[in-house]
Amino acid sequence: MLEMGFATIDFTPEPGLVMAGRAKSPPAEGVAGPLCARVLLADDGTQRVALVTLDLMALPATEVDLLRRRLADCGDLLPENIMIACSHTHAAPLTHLAGLEQEHNVVQFVDVMSTRIEQAIVMAIRDIQPVELTSARISAPGWVFNRRAVMADNEVATHGVSWVKGFSRMETTPDDEVQILVAKGNDGTVRGGIVGYACHPTVMESDRLYSSDYAGVLMGELESTLGGTFCFLLGASGDSANPDPASPHQEEFFGWGYAKTMGRALADRALEAIGTGRKSTAGRIGIESTILSISQRRPSRKQVKLSRWYLEEAPKDIDEAVFLQQLSGHSYTFWEVPSRASERHAREILGMWERQRRAGSRDLVEHMEVQVLVLGDVAIAALPVELFTDLGRDLKQQSPFPSTFVATMTNGWHGYVPTIEAFERGGYEPLLAYQSRLVPEAGAVLTHAALELLHHLYHSR
């Protein structure tokens, strides 16, 4: 018999901490919506697992390891039976060390948050009871869009719009599917569940306000309507975003007002889907992980030399488009090319070169975890990257389970993972930098590993 317990805690800090996902990392000046941790604890009498979802942009793998050990101690859990997923909101405190002047604040915030999540695990244990699961999915068009515009020269401009000269098409279509899993008690009461959607939570990225973005509104609407606690999983959204590239009024797609509108609309679609949902026919838990070693790309000597020249000697009237072509081999990063457009890229290249030089290894690899959690006949395939939509869509379609969530930003963060075709066309996401440092074949390696785990768990039930 499958049992589940749920809990929610608020870990919103006081304004003032440096915010993640922003140019120049400004401090927060207020709060639009709370930052929460939500816990789903499941037990089938044989093993116990926990899904912990956090309103954070990302949590480094080193911090995930520490948090797992803390939660295992207080929840009668194996550390490897805990899945920790971030919503990727760009309106939360930075959780990577940002330099000596911020190190104490970052560590203190993560430590306080971890203590509160321990409390949530204990609350979820007290809440545990038998459940029946229903899963559903439904299309929600009009709220997520591919953000990579293919221009006339077959090069991509990230966040390109369709009404500018030279626009050809969008690179691919977004995954607009809302997925939902609902757990009901024996009395029919909704205990909680999971909701998944694949759109970058960047609606609030221009406001200096803490917020869980549209994802927090979506969960809140489901909880107020159905009851219980709902955990959000971010799908494969590395190349998707909320602004419609066909609109000449891009500013309309940002801010707390739009986040509320978007979250409520997605909740309405999820609620509609439940009526035609599928009841789970199994009550067992399965969980497995594999650790992959994937190589980093390396800056060339030419890129290092050009980056230094740009930062130290480049004239103010430099032709930014020509320099970008020299530096990256592509025509665009974003579709707009302002003055000093390559400054961040040049600094990132030098930073990558310095980190790799200090590592002292010819074969620079990152070790990352792919994890699959099965609840009844519903699977969650978890990857610690910003996966492109086509890769996630293929993973869902090839899974042997009748319902599969793809959960990105899970158990760590190792940057963007574009498709091979995206590397050929350029744009922001494949651009060599700390946020995009893995080799082009990383997507195929990660999704293949996830599929192997899915098939193994499916056939071992």
Side-chain angles (χ1 to χ4, degrees), residues 239-253:
D239 54 347
S240 70
N242 50 289
D244 182 351
S247 172
H249 305 292
Q250 296 289 289
E251 70 281 357
E252 295 179 354
F253 298 93

Side-chain angles (χ1 to χ4, degrees), residues 13-71:
E14 291 295 318
L17 294 183
V18 168
M19 302 185 76
R22 312 293 181 90
K24 300 182 180 178
S25 301
E29 297 176 351
V31 180
L35 303 175
C36 295
R38 289 170 166 86
V39 172
L40 182 163
L41 189 82
D43 196 316
D44 66 358
T46 301
Q47 61 180 334
R48 174 175 288 184
V49 299
L51 168 64
V52 179
T53 60
L54 306 175
D55 292 331
L56 292 178
M57 183 179 179
L59 195 64
T62 52
E63 294 295 339
V64 169
D65 289 342
L66 291 172
L67 180 56
R68 277 173 157 169
R69 289 200 292 271
R70 291 180 63 164
L71 300 184

Side-chain angles (χ1 to χ4, degrees), residues 90-270:
H90 283 46
L94 186 73
T95 50
H96 289 70
L97 296 183
L100 293 178
E101 71 280 4
Q102 289 293 332
E103 183 172 343
H104 172 73
N105 290 338
V106 172
V107 171
Q108 186 177 51
F109 165 68
V110 172
D111 191 52
V112 170
M113 179 189 71
S114 299
T115 299
R116 293 181 181 174
I117 299 170
E118 287 178 316
Q119 297 168 358
I121 289 285
V122 174
M123 292 164 58
I125 292 172
R126 293 172 181 165
D127 183 64
I128 200 164
Q129 60 181 269
V131 295
E132 291 185 349
L133 302 180
T134 299
S135 62
R137 56 192 177 192
I138 192 169
S139 176
W143 299 102
V144 59
F145 303 88
N146 182 257
R147 70 183 192 179
R148 289 172 50 83
V150 181
M151 309 305 282
D153 56 1
N154 204 37
E155 291 275 290
V156 160
T158 298
H159 289 307
V161 290
S162 63
W163 38 267
V164 297
K165 183 179 179 180
F167 171 82
S168 174
R169 60 185 174 83
M170 301 310 293
E171 187 173 51
T172 188
T173 57
D175 180 357
D176 63 10
E177 185 176 77
V178 179
Q179 294 176 271
I180 187 165
L181 176 69
V182 177
K184 291 184 178 181
N186 290 337
D187 61 357
T189 301
V190 172
R191 306 294 302 146
I194 301 169
V195 60
Y197 194 62
C199 179
H200 244 86
T202 50
V203 180
M204 294 292 292
E205 72 175 359
S206 297
D207 297 285
R208 295 188 178 187
L209 303 171
Y210 295 136
S211 163
S212 52
D213 212 277
Y214 77 84
V217 178
L218 167 56
M219 289 182 287
E221 289 293 309
L222 291 175
E223 290 166 352
S224 64
T225 302
L226 299 175
T229 293
F230 280 83
C231 300
F232 178 79
L233 297 177
L234 180 68
S237 59
D239 54 347
S240 70
N242 50 289
D244 182 351
S247 172
H249 305 292
Q250 296 289 289
E251 70 281 357
E252 295 179 354
F253 298 93
F254 295 92
W256 185 231
Y258 191 80
K260 290 190 288 186
T261 299
M262 181 175 175
R264 289 167 181 166
L266 295 175
D268 287 344
R269 293 297 285 166

Side-chain angles (χ1 to χ4, degrees), residues 335-408:
W335 75 274
E336 293 180 301
V337 186
S339 175
R340 303 298 294 175
S342 291
E343 182 170 355
R344 178 181 175 186
H345 185 200
R347 294 188 186 281
E348 285 286 346
I349 284 176
L350 293 178
M352 283 294 296
W353 176 82
E354 184 64 29
R355 280 189 289 269
Q356 291 174 342
R357 185 182 69 82
R358 288 176 178 272
S361 171
R362 284 185 170 272
D363 186 22
L364 291 162
V365 298
E366 298 199 24
H367 306 291
M368 59 192 74
E369 178 182 5
V370 175
Q371 184 183 41
V372 170
L373 169 61
V374 176
L375 302 169
D377 57 7
V378 176
I380 303 170
L383 304 102
V385 294
E386 297 184 55
L387 194 70
F388 266 35
T389 299
D390 283 349
L391 293 167
R393 184 159 35 213
D394 288 347
L395 183 53
K396 288 197 294 184
Q397 291 172 351
Q398 294 175 41
S399 170
F401 287 90
S403 180
T404 300
F405 290 79
V406 173
T408 61

Side-chain angles (χ1 to χ4, degrees), residues 265-332:
L266 295 175
D268 287 344
R269 293 297 285 166
L271 292 167
E272 184 179 341
I274 292 171
T276 58
R278 179 189 57 80
K279 288 190 176 181
S280 178
T281 57
R284 298 296 299 275
I285 291 170
I287 189 164
E288 283 192 16
S289 298
T290 186
I291 304 298
L292 302 178
S293 297
I294 299 180
S295 297
Q296 292 181 351
R297 290 176 285 152
R298 303 188 70 143
S300 67
R301 291 180 181 274
K302 177 184 175 182
Q303 286 178 311
V304 172
K305 184 177 179 180
L306 281 171
S307 296
R308 284 177 172 161
W309 175 84
Y310 182 87
L311 294 173
E312 298 171 4
E313 303 178 37
K316 292 182 179 179
D317 60 350
I318 185 175
D319 188 322
E320 295 286 353
V322 170
F323 179 76
L324 177 62
Q325 184 70 42
Q326 294 174 332
L327 186 62
S328 69
H330 294 287
S331 302
Y332 306 94

